[in-house]
Amino acid sequence: MTFPKIKSSLCLTFVVMLFSVFALSTTAEAATTLYQWRGEGVTAYQTKYFGEEGDIKVRGNGGTVSIKIDQYSQNSNTTANAKYTLLSVSNKVVGSSRVVVGDRGGSAKLPAATLTFTDVLPGDYMIQVINNTNAGIVIQGDVYFTAN
């Protein structure tokens, strides 16, 4: 006596369970949003900090911090140009600074610039932005973390 409905149900249950385990293991490594800022103006040659109170928190064994940047110049005759640095709250530079030149992101109908800092140790961080132009720029960003 065979039970074909039970066999097919067991096979289907096994496949669903296997897929669920696979899906959970791949999403465990997904990036977590740590911090965001929106539509902030940075005047000519100004330095500005985001997350100054240590809002960007890297925990566990550390990992990779990625920053997606939208920026544009407020003057159509000037190209946006800003330097971005990941700093610990004690002002220690993490990795090298990155310069983003040109309008980027939604307002420019271009992809956001992505800055990646690897091997970031656990701790509290902030972003330093220096406007390298003689015109104001508007920036916004999203900071993501992927654990080691």
Side-chain angles (χ1 to χ4, degrees):
M1 181 185 218
T2 61
F3 299 97
K5 287 185 178 179
I6 292 175
K7 283 184 180 178
S8 64
S9 293
L10 287 174
C11 286
L12 181 60
T13 302
F14 176 74
V15 169
V16 169
M17 287 176 52
L18 186 62
F19 177 74
S20 298
V21 168
F22 175 73
L24 287 174
S25 67
T26 57
T27 57
E29 297 177 19
T32 302
T33 302
L34 293 180
Y35 185 77
Q36 298 176 319
W37 73 90
R38 297 285 175 250
E40 293 286 333
V42 184
T43 59
Y45 303 111
Q46 177 189 21
T47 298
K48 200 162 192 177
Y49 296 89
F50 298 94
E52 288 180 87
E53 288 79 38
D55 294 327
I56 302 168
K57 297 180 184 309
V58 173
R59 299 295 181 246
N61 294 323
T64 300
V65 172
S66 300
I67 308 169
K68 290 199 180 262
I69 302 292
D70 288 2
Q71 72 178 23
Y72 66 90
S73 176
Q74 293 177 312
N75 179 335
S76 61
N77 296 322
T78 303
T79 300
N81 180 324
K83 181 168 87 170
Y84 297 84
T85 306
L86 181 65
L87 299 173
S88 67
V89 291
S90 60
N91 286 327
K92 181 180 178 188
V93 175
V94 177
S96 58
S97 299
R98 313 287 171 31
V99 175
V100 177
V101 177
D103 292 352
R104 301 299 298 264
S107 64
K109 295 182 174 59
L110 294 169
T114 301
L115 313 178
T116 303
F117 300 87
T118 57
D119 300 321
V120 178
L121 298 174
D124 297 342
Y125 296 89
M126 61 184 161
I127 308 293
Q128 177 192 55
V129 180
I130 300 173
N131 180 356
N132 293 323
T133 69
N134 62 358
I137 61 172
V138 175
I139 59 171
Q140 62 184 34
D142 299 298
V143 181
Y144 301 97
F145 172 70
T146 305
N148 283 337

